[in-house]
């Protein structure tokens, strides 16, 4: 099975990397707590967006392809993987 490309997420992750570096600088500069927390929240939101896009791609491509093969073992494995990743996302 060919996996979908997630290269569209690279630009977002590079921006996120810049945000994290900015947060580090804010902490080093002893900036106001609320300003730092605002940036941390923005970074978390950006990472959540990347996660959501990759999950959507996985569902649309990998899961859809596995289900169309009508292989019950593969389908159960894919469903199990999704359940585990979603379970770990809520912890």
């Amino acid at each position: 099975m060919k996996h979908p490309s997630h290269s569209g997420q690279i630009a977002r992750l590079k921006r996120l990397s810049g945000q994290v570096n900015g947060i580090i600088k804010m902490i080093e500069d002893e900036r106001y707590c609320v300003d730092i927390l605002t940036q941390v929240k923005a970074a978390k939101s950006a990472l959540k967006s990347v996660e959501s896009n990759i999950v959507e791609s996985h569902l649309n491509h990998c899961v859809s392809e596995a289900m169309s093969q009508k292989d019950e073992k593969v389908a159960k494995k894919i469903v199990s993987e999704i359940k585990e990743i979603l379970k770990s996302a809520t912890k």
Side-chain angles (χ1 to χ4, degrees):
M1 168 173 34
K2 186 176 185 303
H3 297 284
S5 172
H6 300 294
S7 60
Q9 301 307 310
I10 292 172
R12 288 173 185 238
L13 289 167
K14 286 183 178 181
R15 277 193 303 277
L16 179 59
S17 176
Q19 282 182 294
V20 171
N21 288 333
I23 294 167
I24 291 168
K25 177 98 170 84
M26 291 175 79
I27 292 170
E28 290 172 344
D29 293 346
E30 298 180 356
R31 296 275 302 271
Y32 183 55
C33 300
V34 173
D35 293 341
I36 296 168
L37 291 169
T38 299
Q39 291 306 310
V40 168
K41 197 155 182 59
K44 284 173 59 175
S45 177
L47 191 56
K48 188 168 178 67
S49 176
V50 169
E51 176 188 37
S52 178
N53 289 338
I54 292 173
V55 166
E56 183 177 348
S57 176
H58 181 63
L59 291 171
N60 288 334
H61 179 78
C62 302
V63 174
S64 178
E65 185 176 308
M67 295 301 181
S68 70
Q69 291 178 5
K70 308 246 193 272
D71 183 336
E72 189 174 331
K73 185 177 178 181
V74 172
K76 283 183 178 181
K77 179 183 178 282
I78 293 284
V79 169
S80 179
E81 287 174 344
I82 291 293
K83 286 173 21 180
E84 283 302 310
I85 195 74
L86 293 176
K87 191 186 311 179
S88 69
T90 59
K91 290 182 181 178

